[in-house]
Amino acid sequence: MAACGGCGPGYATPRDAFLTSSQEKIVYLPCIIPDKDRPDYLATVDVDPDSPTYSTVISRLHFPYIGDEIHHTGWNACSSCYDDSSRSRSRLIVPGLGSDRIYIVDVKTDPLNPKLDKVIEPWEMHAFGVSTPH
């Protein structure tokens, strides 16, 4: 373990996470609109059993475009950064399979009400010869 004692945003192993982490208080769920008549959205769900809003959607971040088919999300800092105290999980990366678009969502400023921070447009992806982020 590094000098900071594993004070970064992850855990050295999945077992360490299981044994030493606290239960999540909120989760972010990608919600796809199958008939594509309105934009997909990211739902913030309260999963804290001690909270009065437990097991409810507490906010929705609607993306600006229709047909993105948002998919697996990921963090801007992965678990391999567990020993780097300069890293934090401040952004959620949300790719769109149907659009080649990537959304960067700020979950640090107000974790209960995330905001869109940046959009990487399809043409930006295509300029590097890549598409269909997954």
Side-chain angles (χ1 to χ4, degrees):
M1 193 173 283
C4 74
C7 52
Y11 297 90
T13 67
R15 185 174 195 279
D16 284 350
F18 177 76
L19 294 174
T20 63
S21 68
S22 57
Q23 180 178 333
E24 298 287 346
K25 303 276 186 197
I26 55 175
V27 294
Y28 303 106
L29 301 175
C31 299
I32 300 166
I33 306 302
D35 56 9
K36 297 177 178 42
D37 64 341
R38 59 190 191 282
D40 300 335
Y41 62 93
L42 185 72
T44 304
V45 179
D46 181 345
V47 293
D48 179 359
D50 298 325
S51 170
T53 55
Y54 175 62
S55 74
T56 62
V57 173
I58 54 177
S59 71
R60 289 178 179 86
L61 171 61
H62 294 271
F63 293 106
Y65 299 101
I66 293 174
D68 283 317
E69 192 178 337
I70 60 172
H71 202 58
H72 301 4
T73 62
W75 294 106
N76 63 308
C78 67
S79 289
S80 64
C81 298
Y82 77 96
D83 61 350
D84 184 348
S85 62
S86 70
R87 303 280 183 149
S88 71
R89 290 183 172 171
S90 60
R91 302 291 186 269
L92 194 62
I93 312 304
V94 184
L97 291 180
S99 66
D100 293 348
R101 194 172 278 116
I102 298 176
Y103 295 104
I104 313 300
V105 177
D106 174 0
V107 296
K108 184 175 183 179
T109 303
D110 184 356
L112 301 179
N113 192 23
K115 300 288 183 220
L116 187 57
D117 186 47
K118 180 178 180 164
V119 179
I120 300 172
E121 295 291 353
W123 65 267
E124 295 175 85
M125 300 283 292
H126 301 162
F128 289 97
V130 296
S131 65
T132 318
H134 186 256

